[in-house]
């Protein structure tokens, strides 16, 4: 209700329609209209999803200004707030260590 108050007879926003489809197609695996513990676990920690790889790709995509698939020291420093907030860098702790590859 905080994000969308459904008024009787009113149209639903596109994002609500998309979320309903996602729920019925991918989240509610046993099709009972609600998510049980196993379905929530599958949603939050899918077996076929590599979180570390996804985070690394996200950092490169967002920071690689020249799109050469390599990060320079300047590209990292220009986006330091993204790296400090990333689990991939141990929330910034790994950035304080000496790295030859940079």
């Amino acid at each position: 209700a905080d994000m969308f108050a459904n008024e009787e007879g009113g149209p639903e926003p596109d994002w609500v329609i998309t979320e309903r489809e996602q729920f019925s197609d991918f989240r509610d695996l046993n099709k009972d209209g609600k998510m049980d513990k196993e379905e929530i676990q599958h949603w939050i920690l899918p077996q076929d999803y590599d979180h570390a790889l996804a985070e690394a790709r996200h950092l490169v995509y967002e920071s690689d200004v020249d799109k050469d698939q390599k990060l320079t020291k300047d590209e990292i420093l220009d986006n330091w707030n993204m790296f400090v907030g990333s689990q991939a860098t141990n929330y910034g702790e790994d950035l304080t260590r000496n790295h030859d590859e940079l």
Side-chain angles (χ1 to χ4, degrees), residues 52-64 82-83 86:
L53 180 60
E55 180 65 8
R57 285 182 176 159
H58 168 71
L59 291 172
V60 171
Y61 177 81
E62 294 295 331
S63 302
D64 186 18
M82 187 175 304
F83 285 86
S86 171

Side-chain angles (χ1 to χ4, degrees), residues 37-50:
K37 182 179 177 181
E38 288 77 24
E39 291 167 329
I40 292 170
Q41 183 175 2
H42 183 266
W43 173 42
I44 294 173
L45 298 170
Q47 298 296 319
D48 58 347
Y49 184 76
D50 186 339

Side-chain angles (χ1 to χ4, degrees), residues 8 14 37 49 51 61-62 68 71 73 77-78:
E8 187 137 349
D14 289 342
K37 182 179 177 181
Y49 184 76
H51 291 274
Y61 177 81
E62 294 295 331
D68 66 352
L71 295 179
K73 183 177 182 179
L77 292 175
D78 287 345

Side-chain angles (χ1 to χ4, degrees), residues 1-85:
D2 289 342
M3 296 173 61
F4 169 65
N6 189 6
E7 297 177 15
E8 187 137 349
E12 290 184 332
D14 289 342
W15 69 268
V16 172
I17 295 167
T18 301
E19 288 300 317
R20 286 187 193 282
E21 291 170 356
Q22 287 288 316
F23 176 80
S24 65
D25 294 345
F26 302 107
R27 306 286 182 246
D28 186 19
L29 300 175
N30 63 8
K31 307 299 181 201
D32 67 353
K34 56 189 174 197
M35 291 179 70
D36 59 28
K37 182 179 177 181
E38 288 77 24
E39 291 167 329
I40 292 170
Q41 183 175 2
H42 183 266
W43 173 42
I44 294 173
L45 298 170
Q47 298 296 319
D48 58 347
Y49 184 76
D50 186 339
H51 291 274
L53 180 60
E55 180 65 8
R57 285 182 176 159
H58 168 71
L59 291 172
V60 171
Y61 177 81
E62 294 295 331
S63 302
D64 186 18
V65 176
D66 60 7
K67 302 302 179 196
D68 66 352
Q69 295 297 304
K70 298 175 186 167
L71 295 179
T72 65
K73 183 177 182 179
D74 287 335
E75 287 173 327
I76 294 170
L77 292 175
D78 287 345
N79 290 292
W80 68 270
N81 56 338
M82 187 175 304
F83 285 86
V84 170

